[in-house]
Amino acid sequence: MLEIAALEKRFGDTQVLRNINLRVAPGELVFVIGPSGSGKSTMLRCCNRLEEPTSGAIMLDGQNITGCGAQALNRMRLQLGMVFQGFHLYPHMNVLKNVMLAQEKALKRPRPEAQARAMAMLEQVGLAHKADAMPSDLSGGQQQRVAIARALALDPKVMLFDEPTSALDPELVGSVLKVMKDLRQAGMTMLVVSHEMGFAREAADRVIFMDAGVVVEEGTPDQIFGAPKMARTQEFLSRVSG
């Protein structure tokens, strides 16, 4: 469903990503871990060209995102839902309108249809009762779940999560992870960058360990967390678990 091939990214003289090759199969949850500055978020942002790759290719369902122009890119981006560290909700709009807006503007859905889809997605993330609330009235965890509902309302083929719980108080993390777990059970294809090791161990199909802009090791959660082969992976996991 999503393929990253020979991806490289430089900022000036600094090379941030080096020959990244990664495939995400339909319905698969692939979890990317690694130290800060390892290139995880940059890789994710290259997937929908929020960052322009220096070289390499990103394929979504067989179509090359890196080779398409602006109009085609905008259509492709609708198929790649993205959830950021920050929630990026419109503060002057209530929850329902936040989830409806992109549907009406980008997909040209009629308002009744957009509203019905928005309510269905809010129900899915457990927030239908907050449809009329303003973002400022919600907790961080609730705001992030609204952001997930907004992305899902566009019917994406793949969901990208960039540290979706890092801005949340610890007691609010669980509600967001539950939504992600429900999405996995529903068959959503997901590429997740996160430090939530327990969630990765429990829910991921595969775990990718990145460091210094390269994929050091990948495998099942049992392989990566239970018997990592590479010394750098072992060192990283011993530090984060210790």
Side-chain angles (χ1 to χ4, degrees):
M1 184 61 75
L2 180 68
E3 181 177 358
I4 301 169
L7 179 65
E8 308 247 336
K9 176 63 182 176
R10 291 183 182 86
F11 294 104
D13 294 332
T14 303
Q15 187 161 6
V16 180
L17 297 174
R18 306 168 189 269
N19 194 31
I20 301 292
N21 294 280
L22 173 63
R23 285 185 170 189
V24 185
E28 190 176 29
L29 195 168
V30 175
F31 217 95
V32 185
I33 63 173
S36 297
S38 59
K40 307 183 301 296
S41 292
T42 300
M43 178 191 72
L44 213 61
R45 292 170 69 86
C46 284
C47 286
N48 61 4
R49 283 175 55 189
L50 287 173
E51 295 287 356
E52 281 293 332
T54 304
S55 61
I58 309 288
M59 309 290 288
L60 175 65
D61 201 12
Q63 297 186 2
N64 191 343
I65 296 176
T66 41
C68 63
Q71 197 167 10
L73 175 61
N74 286 335
R75 288 197 300 269
M76 297 292 282
R77 277 180 172 154
L78 294 173
Q79 300 173 42
L80 277 165
M82 186 147 187
V83 178
F84 300 88
Q85 297 179 36
F87 321 123
H88 302 303
L89 301 180
Y90 291 103
H92 62 289
M93 292 183 176
N94 68 20
V95 164
L96 181 63
K97 288 180 179 175
N98 263 281
V99 182
M100 289 173 61
L101 184 65
Q103 297 182 68
E104 294 180 282
K105 299 295 185 184
L107 296 183
K108 307 301 182 187
R109 276 184 182 153
R111 178 158 292 191
E113 185 181 339
Q115 182 170 336
R117 178 68 176 160
M119 285 303 298
M121 292 304 95
L122 288 170
E123 182 74 42
Q124 185 169 335
V125 301
L127 288 175
H129 64 293
K130 294 289 188 180
D132 295 326
M134 302 302 286
S136 58
D137 297 327
L138 305 180
S139 70
Q142 289 172 330
Q143 290 187 58
Q144 190 62 292
R145 283 150 61 196
V146 172
I148 294 172
R150 178 179 57 189
L152 290 173
L154 298 175
D155 303 314
K157 292 181 177 179
V158 178
M159 286 285 287
L160 308 174
F161 291 87
D162 186 10
E163 300 282 8
T165 61
S166 66
L168 302 180
D169 292 334
E171 67 266 25
L172 302 177
V173 168
S175 64
V176 174
L177 295 183
K178 181 185 182 303
V179 170
M180 295 171 68
K181 202 177 300 183
D182 291 345
L183 287 176
R184 180 187 182 276
Q185 291 174 349
M188 175 60 73
T189 307
M190 294 186 280
L191 181 59
V192 179
V193 168
S194 178
H195 292 290
E196 297 290 341
M197 301 297 168
F199 181 68
R201 188 189 289 260
E202 177 187 353
D205 294 296
R206 276 188 299 132
V207 177
I208 311 290
F209 173 64
M210 286 182 64
D211 188 36
V214 301
V215 173
V216 176
E217 187 171 356
E218 67 174 286
T220 66
D222 285 347
Q223 289 169 337
I224 296 298
F225 292 109
K229 297 175 183 176
M230 306 300 290
R232 182 66 186 97
T233 315
Q234 296 168 13
E235 178 189 15
F236 172 76
L237 291 173
S238 69
R239 286 181 176 177
V240 297
S241 61

